[in-house]
């Protein structure tokens, strides 16, 4: 918990209309949020607002804006039904000041609270603003730990201290022990901590791989009203607004979770890395947006997956692989974000500086894998983790795209993206921009990986079997060109030793062909950026 003392105010200002003004942000839509724990129905007021600044500091996907505004409005109605006093500003209110901080100032002026009661925010820029409010507004500000996360910022900082290398696997094991998840006494269930080796099966092409969609909902009156506003005010933002199918209440999000546990989690483990054209959901849960905005709580999601395993409904590799994403990876990247900010935002270990190509917005590319993943992102504000990492991210790494531009793109296009989760995944996992602080090696791959784990290559103009030439898959020569041009910085990585031995054995003619094809492709890319 962080308590910030205010400047002393004049005696005439000390009589407050309310005791606590409790702020609830758009990613804090949780009824037992820390700042609501001791809420007094008579003396406290909840503050919520929709402001243009938060929708446009990056030009968020239209579906993301509609999802959050609708979820916020539904949440406010639920609070009012419980007897809470809610000070809510709509995006189209005549007096809306247009920015987060200006709306806080307006509420302070109107309500004259004794104290602002906050839950720790999800972005560094917001926390920095909050820390300045005692001086700026002359009011007490108390920032409470966000207990929806399972590892506090301070706990993670302690875990990091004196470690030369951070590895999620060891953090994950400690979290399993702390919360007693998938344990058999003191040992991991099944005798192993990690079943990732059983979670990499390629698509078999059979009917079983073509799943129904996750549980979707038709827009209600509130959502339709929000969609009209988004279409009018943010219609030039990236992405398709319709069809809109997000859950926008906690009850709906719980239905989505239950549907996933019953219908999709049993098959998730084997094929979580597989990709099939026209199948954006596969066996994935599509609940990350609900967890990250607060409609679902991580521990209840983990408990549901474990219980399904205990009941014999889900195999261990599926339950463990899913739980690892939440209890391990999600908590790990959040910890790294807060330990490394603000310097993390400027990391660029490989000195990548190529502008983001326009096709990341348009989907207009002859690379079928990229076209499929970008198109599905545009349609759904969603892509599953292998599409994000090993297609879209892999290309950004190999092409040497500027980390700032890539980070902004990922923050714009996905409904589950907030800086605390987006930046470590992009700068650390995807681009190796932090030099290996998060990941032990760059996640670079040639077209062979995409061909193995998808059916994208069958419908592509390029030939994945060709290593060089105008018909060759660009991932093939870009992969070796990436290793070649970053040789001095990467050859000492112990996980790349065999690969660099292979590169070292290549003849001059092969290297010249790789460099020629890569330069030709990347030069054309820059012309269209």
């Amino acid at each position: 918990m962080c308590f910030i003392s205010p400047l002393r105010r004049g005696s005439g200002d000390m009589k407050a209309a309310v005791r606590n003004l409790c702020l609830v942000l758009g990613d804090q839509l949780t009824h037992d949020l820390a700042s609501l724990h001791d809420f007094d129905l008579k003396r406290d007021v909840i503050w919520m607002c929709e402001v243009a600044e938060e929708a446009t500091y990056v030009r968020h996907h239209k579906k993301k804006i509609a999802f959050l505004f609708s979820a916020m409005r539904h949440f406010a109605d639920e609070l009012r039904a419980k007897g809470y006093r809610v000070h809510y500003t709509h995006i189209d209110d005549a007096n809306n000041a247009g920015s987060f901080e200006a709306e806080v100032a307006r509420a302070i002026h109107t309500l004259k609270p004794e104290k602002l009661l906050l839950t720790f925010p999800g972005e560094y820029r917001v926390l920095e603003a909050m820390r300045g409010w005692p001086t700026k507004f002359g009011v007490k500000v108390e920032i409470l730990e966000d207990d929806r996360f399972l590892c506090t910022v301070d706990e993670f900082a302690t875990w990091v201290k004196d470690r030369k290398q951070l590895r999620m696997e060891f953090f994950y094991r400690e979290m399993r022990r702390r919360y007693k998840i998938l344990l058999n006494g003191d040992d991991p269930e099944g005798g192993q901590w990690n079943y990732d080796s059983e979670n990499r099966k390629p698509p078999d092409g059979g009917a079983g791989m073509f799943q129904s969609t996750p549980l979707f909902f038709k827009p209600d009156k509130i959502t339709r009203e929000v969609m009209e506003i988004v279409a009018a005010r943010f219609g030039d933002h990236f992405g398709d607004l319709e069809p809109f199918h997000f859950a926008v209440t906690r009850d709906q999000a719980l239905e989505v979770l239950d549907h996933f546990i019953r219908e999709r989690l049993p098959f998730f483990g084997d094929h979580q890395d597989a990709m099939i054209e026209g199948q954006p959901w596969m066996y994935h849960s599509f609940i990350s947006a609900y967890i990250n905005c607060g409609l679902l709580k991580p521990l209840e999601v983990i408990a549901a997956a474990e219980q399904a395993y205990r009941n014999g409904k889900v195999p261990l590799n599926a339950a463990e692989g899913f739980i690892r994403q939440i209890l391990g990876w999600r908590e790990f990247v959040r910890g790294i974000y807060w330990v490394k900010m603000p310097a993390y935002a400027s990391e660029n270990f490989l000195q990548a500086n190529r502008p983001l190509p326009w096709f990341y917005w348009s989907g207009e590319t002859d690379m079928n894998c990229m076209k499929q993943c970008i198109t599905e992102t545009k349609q759904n504000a969603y892509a599953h983790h292998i599409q994000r990492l090993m297609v879209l991210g892999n290309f950004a790494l190999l092409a040497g795209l500027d980390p700032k531009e890539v980070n902004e793109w990922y923050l714009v296009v996905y409904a589950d993206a907030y800086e605390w989760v987006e930046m470590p995944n992009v700068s650390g996992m995807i681009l190796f921009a932090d030099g290996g602080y998060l990941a032990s090696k760059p996640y670079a791959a040639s077209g062979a990986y995409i061909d193995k784990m998808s059916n994208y290559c069958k419908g592509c103009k390029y030939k994945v079997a060709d290593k060089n030439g105008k018909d060759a898959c660009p991932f093939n020569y870009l992969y070796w060109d990436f290793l070649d041009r970053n040789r001095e910085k990467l050859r000492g990585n112990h996980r790349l030793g065999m690969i660099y031995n292979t590169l070292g054995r290549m003849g001059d003619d092969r290297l010249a062909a790789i460099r020629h094809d890569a330069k030709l492709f990347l030069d054309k890319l820059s012309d269209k950026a």
Side-chain angles (χ1 to χ4, degrees):
M1 182 178 74
C2 176
F3 190 90
I4 306 176
S5 298
L7 294 179
R8 182 175 297 277
R9 300 192 298 174
S11 59
D13 295 325
M14 293 305 289
K15 292 181 180 180
V18 298
R19 182 186 67 158
N20 293 327
L21 185 61
C22 305
L23 272 63
V24 175
L25 308 183
D27 59 350
Q28 298 179 345
L29 308 182
T30 305
H31 284 278
D32 59 354
L33 190 71
S35 52
L36 303 181
H37 284 180
D38 299 315
F39 193 90
D40 187 311
L41 294 177
K42 293 182 179 180
R43 297 189 294 162
D44 297 340
V45 173
I46 293 171
W47 175 95
M48 298 178 68
C49 76
E50 307 161 6
V51 291
E53 179 187 59
E54 292 303 303
T56 58
Y57 76 94
V58 297
R59 294 165 60 82
H60 294 290
H61 194 297
K62 290 192 284 289
K63 267 194 174 76
K64 181 179 183 179
I65 300 172
F67 161 59
L68 288 176
F69 282 3
S70 178
M72 289 169 66
R73 293 185 182 194
H74 282 89
F75 185 72
D77 283 350
E78 292 169 6
L79 292 172
R80 293 187 189 102
K82 290 183 174 183
Y84 291 88
R85 288 193 290 169
V86 181
H87 179 88
Y88 193 104
T89 305
H90 291 78
I91 186 72
D92 53 352
D93 285 349
N95 294 324
N96 191 317
S99 75
F100 175 53
E101 194 163 273
E103 273 299 301
V104 172
R106 192 163 72 90
I108 292 171
H109 177 75
T110 302
L111 301 172
K112 297 179 173 57
E114 295 175 10
K115 182 171 66 177
L116 299 184
L117 195 57
L118 320 172
T119 300
F120 198 89
E123 295 196 357
Y124 182 84
R125 67 181 177 90
V126 177
L127 180 62
E128 285 297 285
M130 289 175 170
R131 285 171 169 164
W133 288 350
T135 300
K136 193 165 191 173
F137 299 139
V139 64
K140 292 180 180 178
V141 176
E142 188 174 0
I143 304 176
L144 303 173
E145 188 70 49
D146 190 344
D147 56 13
R148 299 173 302 170
F149 288 94
L150 306 177
C151 181
T152 71
V153 172
D154 289 344
E155 286 169 343
F156 190 85
T158 299
W159 183 81
V160 165
K161 190 177 180 181
D162 299 328
R163 291 178 185 266
K164 293 182 178 179
Q165 285 189 322
L166 306 186
R167 293 295 171 257
M168 190 278 290
E169 177 66 23
F170 301 118
F171 171 78
Y172 167 60
R173 294 179 186 184
E174 290 189 24
M175 294 294 284
R176 287 265 296 272
R177 291 189 179 101
R178 181 195 298 188
Y179 286 94
K180 297 179 171 50
I181 303 297
L182 287 179
L183 292 183
N184 183 5
D186 294 329
D187 299 320
E189 185 71 21
Q192 296 176 216
W193 288 104
N194 186 313
Y195 288 86
D196 190 47
S197 62
E198 297 180 21
N199 294 346
R200 302 172 184 170
K201 293 181 181 178
D204 58 19
M209 290 300 298
F210 293 84
Q211 288 292 291
S212 62
T213 60
L215 184 62
F216 291 154
F217 298 89
K218 293 182 178 179
D220 63 6
K221 182 175 183 293
I222 291 175
T223 301
R224 288 196 300 271
E225 289 173 353
V226 168
M227 291 172 66
E228 289 176 5
I229 292 169
V230 171
R233 294 195 58 153
F234 310 107
D236 59 347
H237 282 216
F238 175 81
D240 299 342
L241 182 56
E242 297 190 67
F244 187 92
H245 41 57
F246 282 84
V248 291
T249 67
R250 172 162 169 77
D251 286 346
Q252 289 180 341
L254 286 169
E255 288 185 55
V256 175
L257 172 61
D258 181 65
H259 181 270
F260 165 68
I261 296 293
R262 286 186 291 104
E263 303 293 334
R264 308 169 76 79
L265 181 58
F267 310 99
F268 170 77
D270 287 354
H271 297 291
Q272 65 175 280
D273 288 4
M275 300 172 284
I276 292 181
E277 185 171 335
Q279 297 291 320
W281 317 109
M282 300 296 289
Y283 295 105
H284 295 270
S285 66
F286 192 56
I287 63 170
S288 54
Y290 307 140
I291 297 176
N292 289 354
C293 80
L295 295 180
L296 294 175
K297 293 181 285 188
L299 202 55
E300 70 184 350
V301 173
I302 291 166
E306 180 174 17
Q307 192 60 52
Y309 163 72
R310 299 290 183 192
N311 292 344
K313 304 295 186 182
V314 171
L316 181 55
N317 72 313
E320 187 279 319
F322 178 69
I323 287 170
R324 184 174 359 111
Q325 289 186 348
I326 301 172
L327 184 61
W329 191 252
R330 184 175 187 269
E331 297 287 331
F332 184 68
V333 298
R334 191 237 184 184
I336 284 177
Y337 175 80
W338 286 110
V339 165
K340 296 294 284 183
M341 284 297 283
Y344 205 67
S346 301
E347 297 275 14
N348 192 357
F349 175 72
L350 298 177
Q351 296 299 301
N353 58 15
R354 193 175 303 280
L356 188 81
W358 176 248
F359 66 68
Y360 268 84
W361 303 109
S362 68
E364 297 169 351
T365 172
D366 290 328
M367 292 177 287
N368 191 45
C369 58
M370 294 290 288
K371 181 179 181 179
Q372 292 298 319
C373 295
I374 293 166
T375 299
E376 291 173 4
T377 294
K378 178 176 177 289
Q379 292 170 341
N380 304 314
Y382 171 82
H384 65 71
H385 68 274
I386 292 298
Q387 292 176 309
R388 297 191 203 193
L389 174 64
M390 297 308 300
V391 179
L392 300 167
N394 184 27
F395 183 86
L397 173 69
L398 300 184
L401 303 188
D402 188 318
K404 286 188 181 295
E405 294 193 26
V406 179
N407 270 288
E408 179 173 322
W409 185 83
Y410 275 86
L411 188 58
V412 165
V413 303
Y414 293 117
D416 58 5
Y418 300 89
E419 195 176 74
W420 67 265
V421 65
E422 172 272 321
M423 187 177 290
N425 273 294
V426 171
S427 288
M429 187 72 169
I430 288 175
L431 299 179
F432 206 69
D434 64 2
Y437 187 79
L438 184 152
S440 58
K441 72 176 184 69
Y443 277 81
S446 69
Y449 174 85
I450 297 171
D451 188 38
K452 175 185 176 183
M453 297 308 300
S454 78
N455 66 353
Y456 293 154
C457 299
K458 294 178 181 178
C460 188
K461 167 187 172 180
Y462 297 106
K463 298 177 181 177
V464 70
D466 289 2
K467 307 304 180 186
N468 286 102
K470 64 181 180 63
D471 294 329
C473 170
F475 279 90
N476 289 340
Y477 49 76
L478 289 178
Y479 172 75
W480 290 110
D481 183 70
F482 165 78
L483 292 167
D484 180 39
R485 70 176 185 268
N486 291 294
R487 192 186 300 243
E488 293 306 311
K489 290 192 173 184
L490 297 179
R491 69 188 309 167
N493 186 299
H494 70 283
R495 295 190 64 187
L496 298 178
M498 291 182 63
I499 295 170
Y500 271 105
N501 286 340
T502 300
L503 182 64
R505 291 194 297 270
M506 285 186 183
D508 292 342
D509 290 346
R510 175 74 195 283
L511 273 177
I514 288 168
R515 291 166 181 163
H516 172 270
D517 289 348
K519 184 178 187 306
L520 192 64
F521 181 88
L522 293 174
D523 285 348
K524 289 180 180 178
L525 201 66
S526 296
D527 292 341
K528 298 177 182 179

